[in-house]
Amino acid sequence: MDKFRIQRVAVLGAGVMGAQIAGHLANAGIAVDLFDLPGPTEDRNQIVSTALQRLKKLEPAPLASSAVLGLIRPNNFDDHLQRLTEAQLIIEAVAERMDIKRTLYAKIAPYCSATAWIASNTSGLSVRALAAEIPAALRPRFCGMHFFNPPRYMSLVELIPCDETRPEGLDTLESWLVHTLGKSVIRAKDTPNFIANRIGVFSLLATMEHTQRLGLGLDTVDALTGPRIGRPKSACYRTVDVVGIDTLAHVVHTKREQLRQDPWHAFFKLPTWIEKLIQEGALGQKSGRGLYKKEGKDILVLDYAAGQYRKTDSQIDPEVEKILALRQPAEKFAALIQCPHPQAQLLWATFRDVFHYSAVHLHEIADNARDLDLAMRWGFGWSHGPFELWQAAGWAAIAKAIEADRKAGKTLSDVALPDWCFTPARTGVHQPEGSWAPAISAQRGRSRLEVYRRQLFPELLIGEQARPSTAPVSQTAGETLYQNKEVRLWRLPDVDAGIGILSFTSTMHAVSDEVLAGMMASITMAETELDGLVLWHEPPFCVGANLKQVAQACKAGEFTRLEQIVAQFQAASQALKYARVPTVAATQGLALGGGCEFLMHAQQRVMHLETYTGLVEAGVGVIPAGGGCKEFAVRAAQWAARSPTPGEVFPFIQQIFTTIAMAKVAKSSLQAIEMGFAQPQDATVFHAHELLYAGLRAARSRADLGYTPPIAQSVPVAGRTGIANLSLMLVNMHEGKMISDHDYKVAHAAATALCGGDIDPGTRVDEDWLIRVERQLFVDLLKTPETQARIEHMLSTGKPLRN
């Protein structure tokens, strides 16, 4: 395998995709040169500079932290081509026109280093044809590298070689994409639209065809084709509006022009009512209207038959709703096939046509069925790919139903399913040993690249598991060492028998008294029988306290018991911090309230980039009391000690106070470090399936280096002067009607806890003192009717109450 290291990447084109690819590279700490056309004389890099400023405003945010913008250097094609010589990888992301790409390639070729790779982010142009436009000497290091939008959040990257691409170099690029950028890579064949767009856009077109044939409303179809069938909330038509109707039109045009021999070619067109929207400039979300539009508070949907908008009214037929609620796929599909209601017929027809299309074209577009299914999971957000869903529904029965409909003239093409679909012993395409690969007429195993050894539990398809289970890995894998109703301590002897894995099994991994008892027991066991402990389970990491348990205790007036639970919570946090073996929190997803406090108290954090961290207790009328306020008071003193004015704690408390009082949430691991929830030395992991491996390695490394537990020390606090300063800010906000009376009370309690209570500023106190202060303030707030109302409102609506 190539040993080159990618330290600097050049991205050519600062449009929507180019700028966001550059942003995600910067998220990973990679230096980027972003190029575009030259601007006016006074600012030759204006186009790129404007694109970079736009990145700070986009939602969802392409940047994990605005600070990473400093890693992106603006350039233009006229003045800075010499900088291309510094890049180990050049990603071309200009407009999808062969003439534009041809001109650009001729311009950059003299500046590409002898070892640099060149990749096109084309979404469908022939990689072979693109390679023909660059000098022969560069072709062995040329490929397609198709990112999906938005690049930070969509995991799929399709890698497409040209005829001359060096296979070992492609292996290196795949490994880099997976480990460094957190991408899920599929090797696609050089066919129009590659894999995901080929299947995904066909699915959209088939849905449109059956919508019109059956006379169903667009909103009804979206209600049917979203989460109810394992697809994103945007379903079909909302997805079109988000992507842009003109963008879809371009992709469909490419399919129509480049796939003239496709048996489904007659359906590679948009309905006339969509073409009319394009002519009117109604292109979807970006233009203010498309298939949907908003008027005041109302969402209107296009009635394509009338050519007018109406209020949405997506009524699902009760019989169809009952079918979709069936748990067994075979039973569900059998019922859809038999049900005469147009809604059921739309679902069956769309599934049938996607199954049919995927089977016929598998040999042409992908190496094996696994690649196609994973491409649809990772590129379009489907919970299951077409082949695994077909397999789950009963392979032979579905194949027979497709053929019956084909012979009856109901399918969109009369081409027969491939012979391999009817192999007598076939029960599907995915088996534990591999997935069906038509080119070799056998099962193809998974990639053996070294990078995938870091994924201890890779994402598996239906049929790949030897014993299918819907239970999470954290509840079933490895060897159990201890377990109660909501906590499991286990290990992986084949990976590291000396490191324990502590996993919550409670709903949303919320913290209950069972969780706290299990944590204490697990930490005690780890201290005597193990070398280290990793707190890990599937996301979310932890959504905080079990509010239902808290609400019930409040109603019963059990405040003494609640105080005991809080004390137990604080003890668990302290046990994580001062354990006699290294403790590591390996986090992904929401780490809120108590989850954030556990993250803060672990001796080290290994965080997936998409870890969303915050002390959000103010939203339910309380303050952090699992040691969160205490820990921030301690950290403020530590930060002050390293500052030019070591005796002044308050400046560091002030920012923390705002974070807690306003329940601010870090939207990435990088922001978690910036906001103080995590430490600068903590690691960010970009691929979620590497997280457990990284956590285990971190714990092992600390253990092998001769781990010594931290020693608790007293710290100076801001005291009553700090409380007074923060209270002054609160008074102004209260008088300005920015906060309510109870908001003031909650925030004042947070100020008191962070400042160490009503004592002289600069007084040194230990952590037990700080813990007692936050605990008493927390329980006092729980006794108020306003806080109890906030908790009840959150439980019933999922939203905070401002009272």
Side-chain angles (χ1 to χ4, degrees):
M1 185 183 291
D2 287 7
K3 295 298 183 184
F4 78 99
R5 299 287 185 265
I6 297 176
Q7 297 172 308
R8 180 173 288 276
V9 176
V11 178
L12 312 181
V16 172
M17 282 302 291
Q20 291 195 66
I21 290 170
H24 192 57
L25 289 163
N27 289 338
I30 296 168
V32 184
D33 279 310
L34 182 59
F35 286 80
D36 212 296
L37 297 170
T41 305
E42 60 272 14
D43 184 3
R44 299 279 285 170
N45 297 328
Q46 184 183 75
I47 292 175
V48 173
S49 298
T50 301
L52 293 178
Q53 290 304 309
R54 195 179 300 122
L55 287 182
K56 294 194 290 188
K57 302 174 183 177
L58 281 179
E59 288 293 339
L63 304 175
S65 162
S66 59
V68 304
L69 274 179
L71 293 172
I72 306 176
R73 183 167 59 176
N75 304 270
N76 70 76
F77 291 129
D78 283 3
D79 302 334
H80 304 117
L81 287 180
Q82 184 64 38
R83 291 177 176 173
L84 290 176
T85 62
E86 303 173 36
Q88 292 82 43
L89 172 64
I90 299 167
I91 301 175
E92 170 267 302
V94 298
E96 284 286 86
R97 283 175 44 185
M98 186 64 78
D99 58 331
I100 293 176
K101 294 180 188 289
R102 180 185 301 118
T103 301
L104 179 64
Y105 291 174
K107 199 167 188 175
I108 69 169
Y111 300 94
C112 298
S113 79
T115 57
W117 274 77
I118 306 167
S120 174
N121 183 53
T122 179
S123 60
L125 295 179
S126 167
V127 174
R128 187 177 296 108
L130 290 171
E133 301 298 334
I134 65 174
L138 299 179
R139 291 173 197 163
R141 300 189 309 281
F142 180 82
C143 66
M145 185 183 286
H146 180 212
F147 290 81
F148 279 68
N149 190 21
R152 172 180 167 184
Y153 302 96
M154 298 301 292
S155 70
L156 179 62
V157 169
E158 292 173 317
L159 269 186
I160 311 98
C162 67
D163 294 336
E164 296 95 335
T165 305
R166 288 165 48 198
E168 68 275 16
L170 213 60
D171 288 347
T172 299
L173 283 178
E174 177 172 347
S175 299
W176 175 79
L177 285 164
V178 170
H179 176 62
T180 305
L181 296 189
K183 293 302 163 190
S184 302
V185 175
I186 294 293
R187 304 279 185 101
K189 295 186 179 183
D190 188 14
T191 57
N193 299 134
F194 311 128
I195 300 175
N197 280 342
R198 181 79 174 266
I199 301 301
V201 173
F202 174 80
S203 178
L204 289 173
L205 293 174
T207 305
M208 290 177 182
E209 174 66 24
H210 296 306
T211 298
Q212 195 162 292
R213 175 177 64 84
L214 295 164
L216 294 171
L218 306 187
D219 50 339
T220 298
V221 173
D222 275 353
L224 289 166
T225 59
R228 283 181 170 88
I229 62 167
R231 303 283 172 81
K233 287 190 293 186
S234 55
C236 176
Y237 294 106
R238 286 190 186 276
T239 295
V240 173
D241 263 6
V242 171
V243 170
I245 297 174
D246 55 335
T247 302
L248 176 65
H250 172 75
V251 174
V252 172
H253 175 77
T254 300
K255 287 177 76 78
R256 186 167 60 249
E257 293 301 309
Q258 298 186 11
L259 294 168
R260 293 182 179 276
Q261 303 306 312
D262 193 300
W264 283 264
H265 184 267
F267 297 94
F268 295 167
K269 60 183 180 181
L270 293 174
T272 54
W273 42 272
I274 287 188
E275 297 285 2
K276 187 171 183 290
L277 288 175
I278 296 173
Q279 294 168 9
E280 295 171 354
L283 306 178
Q285 190 170 280
K286 61 187 174 185
S287 66
R289 74 177 180 98
L291 301 173
Y292 290 89
K293 73 171 183 177
K294 189 173 183 180
E295 282 191 359
K297 294 183 179 180
D298 294 327
I299 302 294
L300 306 184
V301 64
L302 179 69
D303 182 331
Y304 56 87
Q308 298 177 340
Y309 290 92
R310 60 167 174 78
K311 288 187 177 181
T312 55
D313 182 26
S314 51
Q315 297 294 320
I316 305 301
D317 178 74
E319 183 182 359
V320 175
E321 193 78 87
K322 189 181 296 183
I323 292 172
L324 292 176
L326 294 172
R327 297 180 66 85
Q328 295 301 320
E331 187 181 359
K332 183 182 298 184
F333 272 87
L336 286 175
I337 292 170
Q338 293 300 319
C339 180
H341 195 282
Q343 293 179 7
Q345 287 304 298
L346 174 125
L347 288 171
W348 161 241
T350 303
F351 277 123
R352 175 201 66 206
D353 291 336
V354 172
F355 295 162
H356 190 188
Y357 192 82
S358 299
V360 169
H361 289 295
L362 175 60
H363 74 285
E364 173 193 347
I365 65 176
D367 175 75
N368 58 75
R370 177 181 55 252
D371 286 352
L372 190 149
D373 276 351
L374 289 175
M376 299 317 299
R377 283 191 180 203
W378 296 337
F380 274 71
W382 293 7
S383 61
H384 297 97
F387 286 125
E388 58 175 329
L389 194 55
W390 180 350
Q391 182 166 334
W395 185 271
I398 295 297
K400 182 179 179 181
I402 293 171
E403 276 297 280
D405 278 6
R406 183 184 71 83
K407 291 175 180 177
K410 295 180 180 180
T411 57
L412 298 184
S413 169
D414 64 357
V415 66
L417 285 171
D419 290 342
W420 59 261
C421 292
F422 299 100
T423 304
R426 182 171 298 284
T427 57
V429 292
H430 304 304
Q431 306 296 336
E433 65 270 19
S435 296
W436 177 253
I440 59 173
S441 296
Q443 305 299 110
R444 180 87 73 186
R446 283 183 171 248
S447 171
R448 295 182 179 275
L449 288 179
E450 187 72 20
V451 70
Y452 292 112
R453 296 180 61 138
R454 300 172 65 92
Q455 298 185 19
L456 301 179
F457 298 101
E459 185 173 342
L460 298 179
L461 300 167
I462 291 174
E464 284 194 290
Q465 305 99 317
R467 289 187 295 274
S469 172
T470 57
V473 164
S474 61
Q475 296 182 25
T476 57
E479 175 191 343
T480 301
L481 302 175
Y482 163 84
Q483 191 166 13
N484 69 11
K485 287 195 300 184
E486 296 193 336
V487 161
R488 179 178 182 239
L489 176 65
W490 55 291
R491 64 181 169 187
L492 293 168
D494 294 340
V495 180
D496 192 330
I499 305 298
I501 305 165
L502 174 59
S503 300
F504 298 172
T505 60
S506 54
T507 302
M508 298 292 282
H509 304 133
V511 181
S512 65
D513 46 6
E514 282 280 346
V515 166
L516 296 172
M519 281 187 68
M520 295 298 287
S522 297
I523 293 169
T524 298
M525 181 177 286
E527 289 179 322
T528 56
E529 300 180 24
L530 297 168
D531 301 328
L533 186 67
V534 176
L535 179 53
W536 174 87
H537 35 247
E538 296 80 5
F541 178 68
C542 176
V543 297
N546 183 330
L547 283 182
K548 186 175 181 181
Q549 196 175 70
V550 174
Q552 289 171 344
C554 286
K555 279 185 178 179
E558 297 175 338
F559 295 106
T560 300
R561 175 171 169 263
L562 282 170
E563 186 168 358
Q564 292 169 349
I565 292 174
V566 175
Q568 189 181 18
F569 200 147
Q570 294 169 326
S573 294
Q574 292 295 86
L576 268 180
K577 182 175 181 178
Y578 293 108
R580 296 197 302 274
V581 294
T583 60
V584 176
T587 66
Q588 181 191 359
L590 299 175
L592 303 178
C596 177
E597 288 171 303
F598 288 151
L599 174 150
M600 292 175 69
H601 281 81
Q603 293 149 15
Q604 185 177 347
R605 284 142 294 279
V606 175
M607 300 175 289
H608 184 248
L609 181 71
E610 305 307 335
T611 296
Y612 310 123
T613 314
L615 295 172
V616 296
E617 287 85 349
V620 289
V622 291
I623 63 171
C629 291
K630 176 272 302 179
E631 191 61 19
F632 262 138
V634 170
R635 291 184 185 184
Q638 293 169 342
W639 296 332
R642 296 193 291 267
S643 74
T645 54
E648 297 182 18
V649 177
F650 181 75
F652 297 93
I653 289 289
Q654 195 166 12
Q655 186 59 48
I656 295 167
F657 170 73
T658 303
T659 297
I660 292 177
M662 297 182 67
K664 290 184 177 180
V665 174
K667 301 295 180 63
S668 71
S669 60
L670 304 188
Q671 284 190 3
I673 293 171
E674 292 171 351
M675 295 171 69
F677 297 122
Q679 305 280 26
Q681 66 269 24
D682 290 329
T684 289
V685 173
F686 275 71
H687 201 295
H689 289 290
E690 293 184 4
L691 185 61
L692 177 57
Y693 173 90
L696 293 171
R697 287 291 297 269
R700 170 52 61 195
S701 175
R702 290 173 73 91
D704 287 352
L705 288 172
Y707 171 75
T708 302
I711 298 173
Q713 296 180 329
S714 63
V715 295
V717 294
R720 63 175 64 92
T721 302
I723 298 170
N725 289 335
L726 294 176
S727 297
L728 182 61
M729 180 175 70
L730 292 175
V731 167
N732 291 334
M733 293 177 70
H734 185 256
E735 290 179 351
K737 307 296 184 184
M738 298 169 64
I739 59 175
S740 68
D741 291 350
H742 199 59
D743 290 332
Y744 178 94
K745 187 170 188 173
V746 173
H748 189 272
T752 303
L754 289 170
C755 293
D758 187 14
I759 57 178
D760 291 336
T763 302
R764 299 189 72 88
V765 299
D766 60 19
E767 292 189 22
D768 286 343
W769 170 275
L770 293 168
I771 281 172
R772 287 195 299 273
V773 171
E774 75 173 19
R775 182 168 68 238
Q776 186 59 58
L777 290 164
F778 177 89
V779 174
D780 287 347
L781 286 169
L782 277 183
K783 293 176 180 177
T784 65
E786 293 87 353
T787 287
Q788 292 176 26
R790 289 189 181 191
I791 292 172
E792 291 289 350
H793 191 267
M794 179 65 75
L795 285 170
S796 61
T797 69
K799 298 177 181 179
L801 171 68
R802 294 298 305 276
N803 59 349

